[in-house]
Amino acid sequence: MKNYIKYSVVLALGLLACEPELENPIDEDDFYTSGTADLSNFVALGNSLTAGYADGALYITGQQNSFPNILAGQFALAGGGEFTQPLMADNLGGFSGLATFPNRLVLSPGGDGLSPTRLGGTPATDFTNVLSGSFNNMGVPGAKSFHLGLAGYGSAAGVSAGTANPYFVRFASSPDATVIADAVAQNPSFFTLWIGNNDILSFATSGGVGIDQTGNLDPATYGSSDITDPNVFASVYNTYVSVLTGLTPDGILVNIPDVTSIPYFTTVPFAPLNPASPDFGAQIPTLNATFAPINQAFAFLGVPERSIQFSANAASAVVIMDESMPNISQQLTQVLIGGGLDAGTATVLGQQFGQARQANENDLLVLPSSSIIGEPNAEYMQQLIAMGVPEQFAAQLSVNGITYPLQDQYTLTASEQEMVSTAQRAYNQTIAALAAANDLILIDAEAILNQLADGGISYDSGMLTSTFATGGAFSLDGVHPTPRGYAYLANEMIAAINKKYEANIPRVNLGDYNTISVSASAD
C-alpha cells in the first residue's frame, strides 16, 4: 500500500514575494526615541525561538531573521547598540560530524508537487570551533528552562554524552559557563526572556514518549522528552528574572504557547484514509473481513469501543497504539483461539491489537506520521517473519496505521495533551506573576498562536495563519516561525515597548520578510 496523505503543497507565486506595507520608517535623527527604556545593550535569552531556528535547523538567514535581531535593527533607530549573534557557518544548518543535527528543510519538486526535503550538502559548522567574544543573542536551540543555569552545558566534551548543547558550546565563555551567567556578564540594559517551551514541547513532539516529571524536583534525572516539574520551572525562572532585574528594570517576558495549536500537531488529520484512493479503497472489504473476528473478540471482552472498521464511503481513522489503555493481549489471544484461530495466528493478533484502537477527533497525529501512514513497516515485518509468520501474512500485518497500529511516538492522545496543558498553565502562571511583580512587559505568545490557529491574523497586506506551509506564519518544521512570523512577534514587542516606555520605535514591514523557501540547493 502507498502513503495516502502527503503534505506537499502548491504555492501561489505571490506567496514568496515581498509585499509592501503602509508603515515605513523615517530615517531622521532623533525622530525615534526609546522613551524611558535603555536599549543600548540588548541581550536576548531563550531557546530555538530566540535563536532564529526555522525549517528544522539553525542557519544564517534564519538567525538574521530572529526576532531579537529584527528588534535590534529597529532599536538602532532609537539609541540601540550593536547586536551580535553566534552565526552558523552556512545556510545548510546542520553540524559537521553530528548526524542528529541535519540540514534545514526546503520545498522541493517531487512526484506529488512540492514537498519538504532536507537540503543536501555537507555542513561547515563545527561545534568545537568556539567563537570568540560575547553575543547578544543567547538563544540556545533545544534548551529547557533549567539548562540556562546548568554548568557544563557549553562543554564540547559533554555533547556526545547528552549533557551539553553544541549550539552553546560554540559561544560559551568557557566549558563550565552557564547561559545566564554569560548573559549577566554582559550587563544588559534591556532583555527578553523566552524559555520553557521545550519543557513541554519535547514531550509533545515525541508523541508523549517521555515522562511527566511533576513531583520530581531533580532535573538531573529527567529524560530529554520529559515534562519539567512546574516547581522546578518556577524556581529556575524566578532566579533568572531576579538576576536580570538586578541589572536593569527594563525587559520582556514571553509566555508559553499551547503547543497543540501549531502545525506539527494540526496538519495530519486523525482520519486520513481516503476510500477513493485505489490502493486503499480496493482493500477495504478484505480489511474489514480480517478485523471481523478481532472485533467480535473485543465485544466479548467488553471493549467494543476498540473495534476497527474502515468505511467505503468516508475517510477512515488510522489505527493507533494507545498505551493508556489496559493491555488485553493475553485475553484477546485466548478469545481468538476459542473462536477457532490457530494459536500462532491468535498470539500474533493478540499482541498486535492488545492496546490498539482507531484514532478519534481527540487524538493529534504528529507531522512526521504523514510520511509513514499506509507504508509497510519493514522492521516489524521482519520481526514477524522471525517469529515464523509467513512472509505474505507478515506483509499484510505490517501496514502503518492500517494493520500495524501507529506507535506511541506518532500520536498525542487526549490524556497526553492534558499533561502538556496542565504544565503549560502552571508555567504561564509563574511567568505572569513574575512579570507583574517586576513591572516587566508580558508578551502573550499563547494568545498569538491561538489566534493564528483560529482564523489567522491580518496585517496591512495579507494574512498569517497556522496552516502548514501556506499560512505564512510557520516554517517547514511545523513548530518554528517563518521570518514573517518572527517579524510579527517583533512588532508585538515593539508595540508593547512603545506603550510602556513611551517610546517611539517603528514597526517593521511584514511584507519585507519571506515565509518559506522553495529551493533545490542552499543559498
Side-chain angles (χ1 to χ4, degrees):
M1 294 184 180
K2 294 182 178 179
N3 185 16
Y4 300 101
I5 52 174
K6 297 287 186 183
Y7 55 108
S8 59
V9 292
V10 177
L11 301 177
L13 291 178
L15 183 63
L16 301 179
C18 295
E19 300 165 357
E21 275 201 332
L22 299 179
E23 183 175 343
N24 291 297
I26 300 172
D27 296 326
E28 295 179 3
D29 291 341
D30 301 327
F31 184 83
Y32 297 111
T33 70
S34 62
T36 59
D38 180 358
L39 305 176
S40 60
N41 189 20
F42 165 41
V43 174
L45 289 98
N47 50 39
S48 54
L49 293 166
T50 293
Y53 194 98
D55 302 313
L58 189 68
Y59 55 98
I60 292 174
T61 56
Q63 293 173 286
Q64 292 170 335
N65 289 299
S66 66
F67 83 81
N69 199 49
I70 295 171
L71 277 181
Q74 300 307 100
F75 288 176
L77 300 171
E82 183 183 12
F83 190 82
T84 58
Q85 302 190 99
L87 296 177
M88 299 289 278
D90 55 37
N91 267 318
L92 292 175
F95 279 117
S96 60
L98 291 179
T100 52
F101 293 83
N103 295 348
R104 67 183 170 105
L105 295 162
V106 294
L107 282 179
S108 292
D112 296 308
L114 296 171
S115 297
T117 306
R118 293 282 179 185
L119 270 176
T122 302
T125 305
D126 179 354
F127 75 92
T128 64
N129 182 21
V130 179
L131 305 177
S132 61
S134 58
F135 296 93
N136 298 82
N137 189 333
M138 301 199 66
V140 183
K144 295 188 177 186
S145 60
F146 51 87
H147 286 144
L148 299 191
L150 180 63
Y153 199 52
S155 170
V159 170
S160 60
T163 58
N165 185 311
Y167 293 105
F168 185 47
V169 170
R170 295 186 68 237
F171 66 91
S173 62
S174 73
D176 293 329
T178 67
V179 178
I180 187 67
D182 278 3
V184 167
Q186 298 185 58
N187 194 25
S189 67
F190 191 89
F191 69 89
T192 59
L193 177 61
W194 192 5
I195 193 70
N197 304 68
N198 291 326
D199 296 65
I200 51 174
L201 180 65
S202 59
F203 176 88
T205 55
S206 74
V209 169
I211 298 171
D212 182 356
Q213 295 285 2
T214 299
N216 180 359
L217 302 181
D218 183 6
T221 64
Y222 294 179
S224 61
S225 298
D226 292 352
I227 294 176
T228 301
D229 173 81
N231 288 317
V232 169
F233 175 86
S235 176
V236 298
Y237 199 94
N238 181 64
T239 298
Y240 305 152
V241 172
S242 295
V243 297
L244 290 168
T245 54
L247 300 169
T248 174
D250 302 333
I252 293 174
L253 305 183
V254 188
N255 70 7
I256 311 302
D258 175 4
V259 298
T260 60
S261 68
I262 60 179
Y264 195 87
F265 298 101
T266 59
T267 300
V268 183
F270 75 92
L273 302 174
N274 184 356
S277 170
D279 295 304
F280 175 64
Q283 301 296 325
I284 290 176
T286 301
L287 288 167
N288 286 337
T290 300
F291 279 107
I294 300 173
N295 291 339
Q296 291 173 358
F298 283 147
F300 181 83
L301 292 168
V303 288
E305 68 276 9
R306 297 195 187 189
S307 295
I308 297 168
Q309 183 80 26
F310 298 105
S311 173
N313 303 310
S316 292
V318 290
V319 180
I320 66 172
M321 194 278 283
D322 183 350
E323 77 279 10
S324 69
M325 298 192 306
N327 189 337
I328 59 170
S329 293
Q330 292 185 355
Q331 300 95 313
L332 181 60
T333 298
Q334 293 304 314
V335 172
L336 290 173
I337 291 173
L341 278 182
D342 64 89
T345 301
T347 299
V348 169
L349 295 179
Q351 292 178 350
Q352 189 153 330
F353 299 104
Q355 280 186 300
R357 63 174 173 83
Q358 280 186 287
N360 58 51
E361 64 275 10
N362 297 317
D363 298 309
L364 297 175
L365 304 187
V366 299
L367 191 58
S369 70
S370 65
S371 65
I372 62 122
I373 292 174
E375 296 289 339
N377 189 306
E379 181 179 355
Y380 182 67
M381 187 173 74
Q382 290 304 314
Q383 291 177 15
L384 291 177
I385 293 172
M387 294 167 58
V389 177
E391 182 172 346
Q392 183 177 1
F393 189 40
Q396 292 171 351
L397 289 177
S398 301
V399 183
N400 288 315
I402 298 177
T403 57
Y404 181 58
L406 283 183
Q407 297 300 286
D408 191 18
Q409 67 267 31
Y410 293 110
T411 310
L412 198 66
T413 62
S415 60
E416 292 167 338
Q417 293 169 49
E418 183 56 32
M419 295 180 202
V420 172
S421 296
T422 298
Q424 180 220 0
R425 288 193 295 270
Y427 300 166
N428 282 348
Q429 288 173 0
T430 294
I431 295 171
L434 287 171
N438 292 279
D439 195 26
L440 298 169
I441 290 173
L442 175 63
I443 295 296
D444 192 349
E446 179 184 16
I448 292 172
L449 264 67
N450 286 343
Q451 191 176 355
L452 285 171
D454 187 17
I457 295 173
S458 62
Y459 61 97
D460 291 334
S461 55
M463 175 75 77
L464 289 173
T465 75
S466 61
T467 301
F468 180 72
T470 59
F474 286 91
S475 69
L476 292 172
D477 59 31
V479 174
H480 299 89
T482 60
R484 192 170 297 174
Y486 281 125
Y488 177 81
L489 181 63
N491 274 350
E492 289 293 290
M493 294 184 177
I494 289 171
I497 292 169
N498 286 341
K499 181 179 180 180
K500 178 174 178 58
Y501 300 108
E502 298 181 341
N504 180 24
I505 302 168
R507 297 185 308 156
V508 297
N509 295 328
L510 297 192
D512 291 343
Y513 294 84
N514 282 337
T515 54
I516 57 177
S517 299
V518 179
S519 174
S521 61
D523 293 332

